[in-house]
Amino acid sequence: TDQNSVSIGMVDLGLKKKVGKASFVGELSFGPRGQEQSLPDGSNPLDPVVGGASSYHIQNLYVSYDVTDKLNFTAGYMATFIGYEVVSPTGNFNYSTSYLFTNGPFQNAGFKATYAFSDKVSLMAGIFNDNWNVYTSQHDVSTFGAQLIVDPVKGWTAYLNVASGPTSGTIFDLTTAYQITDAFKLGLNAADFTTAHGGNGYEGVALYPQLAVSKIVSLGVRGEYFKVKNGDNVTGIILTSNIKAGALTIIPEI
């Protein structure tokens, strides 16, 4: 968002604590990257508004409880379970974000239960606020969400995601990654979103091949096709490198 400038995107502060079976996570982001998520429309009513958008953004604020070794309950404001890329920039290979990520949910506020049937299959289901990315519901808690996680073979994980509600609309999402060799990894994200009214939305697919050239240099490509329903489409090609210098990661992109 900062063109022709030298700038730092975000400072992220998190507090995590686990006592026995209960845990708490609180995480805030400060800076222009987080501020872009804080819209001046009341989406974050607890945030002070500075220059038309909040000075900070709540990334996570939730509590969790392990009922058993297989069953977990979580409630609060959570980074979304949908999509290949994640809200925290350090969790992504690319520094830029895909069209699918930019147009999808960033956070979901609500209650979810996760059950692990085995070390290869688990299921999450929950109810969430009526709109994406809202700390408090505007009308009711009316969005249903679910995620099926499957690890068919070693190194390969697939996530089948859905979120649907009369206000938020319906999104189906497939996220999968396969570490084919120690050096080569292949990721895929495909999604279809339909608005609750009018039949608009988007659909798209993104491919993420990554190759570790050495212990300190990795190369990756994000090839993406994105289409707005009843609108335009775009093809995006991003070339990315991760260069490790101790604790520092340098990420040049074209």
Side-chain angles (χ1 to χ4, degrees), residues 85 94 96-98 206-209 220-224 236-239:
E85 298 175 15
N94 307 97
S96 63
T97 53
S98 66
L207 197 63
Y208 300 81
V221 177
R222 180 178 66 221
E224 182 181 20
I237 304 290
I238 302 293
L239 306 178

Side-chain angles (χ1 to χ4, degrees), residues 2-185:
D2 299 326
Q3 300 292 331
N4 303 317
S5 64
V6 176
S7 62
I8 292 178
M10 193 174 90
V11 174
D12 189 73
L13 298 177
L15 173 65
K16 300 179 181 181
K17 180 67 175 179
K18 185 169 185 178
V19 180
K21 295 184 176 182
S23 61
F24 165 83
V25 174
E27 186 179 6
L28 297 175
S29 66
F30 298 82
R33 187 170 179 133
Q35 188 171 341
E36 286 297 316
Q37 297 174 244
S38 303
L39 304 178
D41 61 357
S43 297
N44 295 279
L46 301 183
D47 294 356
V49 175
V50 177
S54 304
S55 60
Y56 65 86
H57 184 75
I58 299 173
Q59 302 283 41
N60 286 288
L61 188 60
Y62 62 84
V63 292
S64 185
Y65 188 78
D66 294 324
V67 181
T68 69
D69 292 340
K70 295 181 176 293
L71 179 63
N72 172 270
F73 291 152
T74 302
Y77 191 64
M78 299 160 281
T80 187
F81 56 92
I82 290 173
Y84 186 89
E85 298 175 15
V86 296
V87 171
S88 175
T90 57
N92 297 318
F93 183 86
N94 307 97
Y95 181 76
S96 63
T97 53
S98 66
Y99 291 96
L100 288 172
F101 174 85
T102 304
N103 288 277
F106 299 128
Q107 280 92 10
N108 300 103
F111 171 84
K112 65 181 183 180
T114 304
Y115 186 80
F117 295 95
S118 68
D119 58 351
K120 293 184 177 297
V121 179
S122 63
L123 177 67
M124 180 279 290
I127 52 174
F128 303 92
N129 283 350
D130 50 358
N131 280 309
W132 299 344
N133 314 326
V134 293
Y135 187 83
T136 56
S137 176
Q138 296 179 356
H139 299 99
D140 51 27
V141 181
S142 59
T143 295
F144 168 79
Q147 179 183 69
L148 177 65
I149 306 174
V150 181
D151 296 319
V153 297
K154 183 180 179 180
W156 183 17
T157 304
Y159 304 83
L160 299 174
N161 307 306
V162 61
S164 182
T167 303
S168 61
T170 300
I171 183 169
F172 295 98
D173 176 89
L174 167 64
T175 296
T176 184
Y178 187 18
Q179 191 72 48
I180 300 175
T181 68
D182 291 341
F184 183 64
K185 178 182 179 181

